[in-house]
């Protein structure tokens, strides 16, 4: 399995018991969706390896307590600490309306209600306090905050996002 075919589910943050159980800090708003998985991919030395789940249960809201097959000792569990956990993209719940996953909108066109065509989304910068659309427009990069008040419509069929940005925001980049 390749990383680009998967989404980041979370990170193994600590051991839970002396029997090899681990706690995974989930990166999701809906942790209950991932409580009954059969398997997960764990990034071990830059390879995604499948690990089969014997049992799992939610532990304190965003932590998932997991017992993997063949991880039966503290030493086995220790070897997996701080590893990232992934799942195949087809396990992501489908989003409707104006909600979207960041990876899903790469390549979408951005149009502003007042400005017109802005450019093509090349990425999402979520390292700042406010996530930003990274847009390429005639060789220039434009950054537009991913603010719910700016996003008017997500058209999956046309691969377009209609926004209404404050006057002058786009002009700052051009």
């Amino acid at each position: 399995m390749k990383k680009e075919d998967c989404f980041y589910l979370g990170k193994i943050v600590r051991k839970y018991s002396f029997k090899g159980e681990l706690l995974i800090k989930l990166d999701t708003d809906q942790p209950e969706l991932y409580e009954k998985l059969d398997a997960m991919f764990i990034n071990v030395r830059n390879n995604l390896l499948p690990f089969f789940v014997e049992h799992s249960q939610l532990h304190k809201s965003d932590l998932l307590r997991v017992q993997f097959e063949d991880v039966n000792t503290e030493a086995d569990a220790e070897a997996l600490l701080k590893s990232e956990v992934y799942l195949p993209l087809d396990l992501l719940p489908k989003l409707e309306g104006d909600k979207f996953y960041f990876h899903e909108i790469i390549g979408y066109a951005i149009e502003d209600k007042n400005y017109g065509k802005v450019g093509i989304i090349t990425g999402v910068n979520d390292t700042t306090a406010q996530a930003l659309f990274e847009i390429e427009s005639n060789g220039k990069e434009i950054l537009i905050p991913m603010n719910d008040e700016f996003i008017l419509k997500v058209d999956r069929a046309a691969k377009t996002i209609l926004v209404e940005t404050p006057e002058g925001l786009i002009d700052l980049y051009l």
Side-chain angles (χ1 to χ4, degrees):
M1 182 69 61
K2 293 184 189 146
K3 225 184 222 184
E4 46 280 356
D5 299 328
C6 295
F7 68 95
Y8 175 77
L9 178 64
K11 188 173 200 166
I12 298 173
V13 291
R14 61 183 195 261
K15 299 178 285 183
Y16 185 77
S17 72
F18 62 89
K19 295 179 183 176
E21 286 181 299
L22 293 159
L23 289 177
I24 300 170
K25 182 163 180 31
L26 299 176
D27 183 29
T28 178
D29 296 333
Q30 299 174 294
E32 63 281 355
L33 294 177
Y34 305 103
E35 191 172 11
K36 302 291 180 208
L37 295 170
D38 296 325
M40 300 175 190
F41 290 93
I42 298 179
N43 190 357
V44 178
R45 291 185 288 284
N46 288 325
N47 291 311
L48 290 186
L49 302 178
F51 279 77
F52 296 95
V53 177
E54 279 185 16
H55 63 83
S56 63
Q57 69 184 59
L58 284 177
H59 180 81
K60 295 183 185 170
S61 71
D62 66 346
L63 292 173
L64 184 66
R65 182 174 145 194
V66 179
Q67 176 74 59
F68 292 112
E69 287 182 13
D70 301 323
V71 178
N72 304 312
T73 66
E74 280 189 86
D76 294 342
E78 184 84 35
L80 296 174
L81 283 180
K82 298 192 179 8
S83 296
E84 295 175 336
V85 179
Y86 293 86
L87 289 176
L89 284 173
D90 57 3
L91 291 181
L92 272 175
K94 295 288 180 231
L95 296 179
E96 310 248 323
D98 293 339
K99 301 224 178 285
F100 52 82
Y101 295 111
F102 292 172
H103 71 272
E104 161 186 28
I105 58 165
I106 306 299
Y108 275 38
I110 286 269
E111 290 182 28
D112 185 84
K113 182 178 177 184
N114 303 311
Y115 184 86
K117 291 188 189 285
V118 177
I120 303 295
I121 298 172
T122 58
V124 172
N125 180 342
D126 63 350
T127 61
T128 59
Q130 170 87 49
L132 303 167
F133 289 116
E134 295 175 342
I135 302 159
E136 194 278 320
S137 178
N138 298 322
K140 294 190 175 167
E141 182 180 56
I142 297 173
L143 301 174
I144 295 177
M146 292 174 68
N147 185 318
D148 288 343
E149 294 172 20
F150 294 174
I151 300 169
L152 301 178
K153 182 177 181 207
V154 177
D155 185 341
R156 285 178 169 78
K159 294 193 172 210
T160 303
I161 297 177
L162 180 64
V163 296
E164 185 173 13
T165 58
E167 189 175 329
L169 176 69
I170 295 169
D171 293 324
L172 287 172
Y173 294 97
L174 304 174

